[in-house]
Amino acid sequence: MYHSVDTTTDDPYAVTVSPERLERQLAWLGRRGLVGVGVGELLRAHAAGRAGRLVGLTFDDGYADFVEHALPVLRRHACTATVFVLPGRLGGDNAWDPLGPRKPLLDADGIRAAAAAGMEIGSHGLHHERLTTASEAVLRAETARSRELLTELTGRPPAGFCYPYGAVDSRAVRAVRDAGYAYACAVDPGHLTGPHAVPRVHVGARDTAWRLRAKRLLHPLRRAPLPPAAPPAEDAR
């Protein structure tokens, strides 16, 4: 679980990784025979029993720096990723963060450029609202409406959703599933773990080789595994 890839040191929420750090982290994966892919591809491989050497890479919030800084690094390491974007904030910024610098978000052209480069585009909601406290109207807009807008923007319905703030409950899971998403990403969903609440681990600027190794070892101990037959996540309707 990545967010922004940039050179800034003003990072109160620990969401920024430098391009150089990302380069070293992807090289660490490569030295172990691992390759980063989008979550849709990972889940299809998981369902087929061939996901052993794959690592799902996600970039939340859809920061504009993804195209400038992350995409070239991913290409150099023959990796793909899922970029979770906010179609209600195209070309806007991270207004939901009260502290720290304003970070520009991808506009429509940036999202299309990421998709054209082979990245999977998923929804992070419409405006980055916390779904566990949202009204029914907001919940529908964040899930169903954001999916409609991304379908119009990219020409294909997104298969994946990502819960803003990692906040998930059974009501949010149901709304995401009813909106037509094949899968959704959370952080530590606990008993909700499944295709619509996929657990992830945060990767940050401090994650050197030994920290990555520790996170890899601890991940299956701290988070429930996905069911063995997670459904395919391509061309969901």
Side-chain angles (χ1 to χ4, degrees):
M1 178 177 60
Y2 288 97
H3 290 79
S4 171
V5 179
D6 202 357
T7 56
T8 182
T9 57
D10 186 5
D11 189 30
Y13 296 99
V15 296
T16 307
V17 172
S18 71
E20 294 76 19
R21 178 66 75 190
L22 178 62
E23 188 96 49
R24 290 194 289 270
Q25 290 166 345
L26 296 186
W28 183 89
L29 292 179
R31 289 194 299 272
R32 284 150 184 80
L34 303 172
V35 61
V37 297
V39 178
E41 181 176 346
L42 177 68
L43 292 182
R44 292 190 292 274
H46 177 72
R50 51 179 177 79
R53 308 309 297 175
L54 302 181
V55 177
L57 299 179
T58 61
F59 290 80
D60 292 8
D61 300 336
Y63 291 109
D65 57 41
F66 177 83
V67 170
E68 181 180 1
H69 295 310
L71 189 53
V73 180
L74 290 164
R75 281 174 159 168
R76 280 196 293 274
H77 291 272
C79 292
T80 56
T82 300
V83 188
F84 290 113
V85 302
L86 296 157
R89 294 187 182 271
L90 296 178
D93 61 31
N94 56 329
W96 61 88
D97 285 335
L99 302 176
R102 296 276 67 87
K103 286 177 171 287
L105 304 177
L106 289 167
D107 59 14
D109 288 340
I111 291 173
R112 293 190 190 103
M119 304 299 122
E120 180 187 13
I121 303 300
S123 173
H124 200 28
L126 193 61
H127 296 110
H128 204 280
E129 299 285 345
R130 189 179 296 271
L131 299 193
T132 53
T133 56
S135 68
E136 287 299 321
V138 170
L139 191 58
R140 285 193 299 273
E142 292 292 313
T143 56
R145 182 57 179 156
S146 70
R147 191 165 191 261
E148 292 171 0
L149 290 175
L150 284 178
T151 302
E152 294 171 7
L153 195 157
T154 65
R156 62 183 303 173
F161 184 88
C162 177
Y163 299 98
Y165 306 101
V168 59
D169 58 13
S170 57
R171 177 170 163 265
V173 168
R174 184 168 56 253
V176 168
R177 186 174 57 242
D178 291 348
Y181 295 96
Y183 76 86
C185 286
V187 182
D188 295 313
H191 71 280
L192 294 172
T193 294
H196 288 90
V198 178
R200 298 177 298 164
V201 61
H202 173 263
V203 180
R206 297 176 57 224
D207 287 325
T208 56
W210 72 267
R211 285 174 60 94
L212 288 175
R213 183 173 183 273
K215 287 187 174 185
R216 186 184 180 196
L217 293 173
L218 289 173
H219 183 70
L221 301 176
R222 296 177 60 189
R223 296 169 177 86
L226 281 177
E234 187 171 31
D235 294 329
R237 296 293 187 268

